[in-house]
Amino acid sequence: MMLIGRSTGKTTRKNVRLSPEQWPEETWSEDIELMRRAGVNLVSVGIFSWALLEPTPGRFEFGWLDRVLDLLHDGGIQVDLATATASPPPWLARAHPETLPRRADGTILWPGGRQAYCPSSPVFRERSLELVRAVAGRYADHPAVVMWHVSNELGCHNVHCYCDVSAEAFRGWLRERYGDLDGLNDAWGTAFWSQRYGDWAEINPPRTVTAIANPTQQLDFLRFSSDEQRAQLRAERELLKTMVRQPVTTNFMVGMDIKHMDYHSWAPDVDLVSNDHYLTAADPQAQLGLALAADHTRGVAGGDPWLLMEHSTSAVNWQPRNVAKLPGQLRRNSLAHVARGADGVLFFQWRASRAGAEKFHSALVPHAGPDTKVFREVCQLGANLKALAEVRGSRVDADVAILFDWEAWWGVELDSHPSVDVTYTDRLAALYGALWRAGVTADIVHPSADLSGYRLVLAPTLYLVRDVDAEALHRYVQAGGTAAVTYFSGIVDENDHIRLGGYPGAFRELLGVRTEEFFPLREGEQVRLDDGSVADVWTEWLHPDGAEVLASYTDGPLPGVPALTRHRVGAGAAWYVGTRLDEPATDRLVARLVDEAGVRPAAPAPSGVEVVRRRDGERTWLFVINHTEAEVRIPAAGVELLTGARCAGELTVPAGEVAVVREDRV
Ligand code: GAL
């Protein structure tokens, strides 16, 4: 892994996940030598080392880690030291079988993989904190350690545990939330299907049931489960804060279809946001998913710079077909994260393992050794990051916000809804893709974020929304903003109760429409609009109530009914998209929105060329990432930092290349 040099520009910081415990000590010195060659300046160490650090309960063995940290320090390489609590050793489950997590059907998840612990287990909590105390006690003042890494991808494999320990913790969480059973019965709508609870002890996690499980019970369990994982982060961090002075982080998984951790709520619990991202190999446009993840991570970080804690130099091993990165892709990927606010890029893993579950996962040093395309590109990236040192600490320009809420995601994908084809990230990805193709950068933010600085706000599938957040969007438009809301938004409150009086409930007034009935489409069925657009999945019987009609259906179940509307509200306008437009229609819609809102791309660029601007006061840097197979010319004036060349008005970026211009001040 790598980090951009300090703002003094003197050192490049480059970071890897080091697993020295997998290798004989003779290899360690070669590791240091190769790291120095590649410009690596920070390594994460000890992430899954609990079983080696504490081979039997209470007996710690730090000798090997002492030597590793000393060697790294002597080599001038800094360390992001793990608390090592990510995966308990097998002895814990043997001594305390109740620490093992259980699925909804009662199946026990045994040791032999990783993260085999119940997140609510007091035994796990106590033993893990003992480990943190021991590790922090030993290394708090080690000169190599510059950052602490709590656990690893909290909740990746064990976010939902349905065991009795979890059930008891869930009851405690519910008491906190509702105070009394009346509150809970009301929120859960237990008058339906004879579900009324008369005693807290009757309540369980939503274990496997006969029919559709109570939706609010499910929703609360999802909230509880995210909070339980967060509680582990907070407990470790709190302890660390009494013992160490370095910043504390944990690696989030924003943007990887990871649905179950509400990172917007976790962000205050880390000193800097760090994130892991892996490309979806099956997606030929995977660079869009990467950009979306990066923009969302920045949103989680409140716009501050963040750290890419993990990505891969080439293929992973856990997708069905693990496509390797083509020459140049590693660099495009890494620098796209930097363009979008990462102040450093890190990789899993340093040396490709020769045994274990991830032996076919790429690394900085492949099985074939350093005389490889991967290692050469790693060295090139190290040099590039050094050249980009001055960018560190700057922020990213974005005039568009996309609202995102993990609770809305949880809510919209609960069972027994009008159509299984309505999923949360579908419209997010569609709108984001259209912006990406238009060269427009978006912040992906929580609905409670301050929207006043944005020219355009998009609300895809915001099914569950709080009153205050819906009101904030209304005020934003009233004050002159442009907003667009897509179908199945504003439908329920935070208890998953329908907002009555017609859809889209919370946004009816803002959008100036009232829908009386949903008309979801059959699988594969398409409808046409009178502006030439094609759509599928969703239609609804919508009545304009103040909004102007921009397009109506010409066929399908609702010919003549409006599908796209625009409502003037105060000094702004709110658009409603009542159907699932296909890609060309979404591109046209976004072009109109962007135009109406006065949003401009970072630079005019041909399709397939990513352009993003970072800014620090008056200083700006234009990142241009050419994903196409042709050379492109982009208007720009300044110094291109990767080559040192001046460009006066036009920048040439060869096929597959990246350029970063420190722009002349105008
Ligand atoms: C992450 C994890 C790493 C490694 C990597 C593989 O989920 O933090 O330990 O497993 O994925 O891509």
Side-chain angles (χ1 to χ4, degrees), residues 205-380:
R207 291 174 174 158
T208 307
V209 286
T210 48
I212 306 154
N214 181 302
T216 317
Q217 178 188 11
Q218 294 190 62
L219 184 60
D220 274 347
F221 185 67
L222 297 174
R223 290 181 170 127
F224 156 79
S225 299
S226 173
D227 283 358
E228 288 296 89
Q229 295 290 340
R230 181 182 175 206
Q232 179 70 25
L233 164 62
R234 298 179 89 166
E236 291 195 30
R237 175 191 153 96
E238 218 166 274
L239 176 56
L240 283 172
K241 287 293 172 187
T242 65
M243 304 182 68
V244 308
R245 61 202 146 67
Q246 301 90 340
V248 176
T249 192
T250 189
N251 42 351
F252 293 170
M253 295 174 281
V254 175
M256 288 172 58
D257 288 336
I258 300 288
K259 181 176 171 183
H260 294 298
M261 274 68 71
D262 176 0
Y263 291 123
H264 286 300
S265 76
W266 292 32
D269 298 318
V270 290
D271 295 324
L272 79 160
V273 166
S274 63
N275 198 52
D276 295 352
H277 181 264
Y278 292 93
L279 295 183
T280 305
D283 180 2
Q285 294 283 300
Q287 63 269 24
L288 268 76
L290 182 159
L292 193 157
D295 286 348
H296 195 181
T297 306
R298 187 176 69 251
V300 167
D304 288 340
W306 51 279
L307 197 56
L308 180 66
M309 185 58 88
E310 288 182 25
H311 71 322
S312 64
T313 56
S314 192
V316 300
N317 68 313
W318 43 265
Q319 297 182 13
R321 288 161 204 88
N322 295 295
V323 176
K325 292 190 183 179
L326 291 170
Q329 202 179 353
L330 180 162
R331 188 155 88 111
R332 287 195 299 279
N333 291 168
S334 296
L335 295 183
H337 284 288
V338 175
R340 294 176 186 277
D343 266 2
V345 293
L346 299 77
F347 295 88
F348 171 85
Q349 55 192 330
W350 166 247
R351 204 178 259 278
S353 327
R354 62 188 163 183
E358 296 187 315
K359 57 184 174 298
F360 291 115
H361 195 292
S362 61
L364 283 86
V365 184
H367 291 144
D371 184 13
T372 45
K373 159 209 120 199
V374 165
F375 191 72
R376 278 187 287 277
E377 291 200 12
V378 161
C379 294
Q380 183 196 30

Side-chain angles (χ1 to χ4, degrees), residues 20 133 204 245 251 257 261 276 323 390 434 469-470 476-477 490 531 558 587 596 603 616 656:
R133 200 170 290 113
N204 280 311
R245 61 202 146 67
N251 42 351
D257 288 336
M261 274 68 71
D276 295 352
V323 176
E390 65 186 55
D469 296 336
Y476 161 79
V477 175
D531 66 354
L558 300 173
D587 282 352
E596 172 166 315
D616 187 357

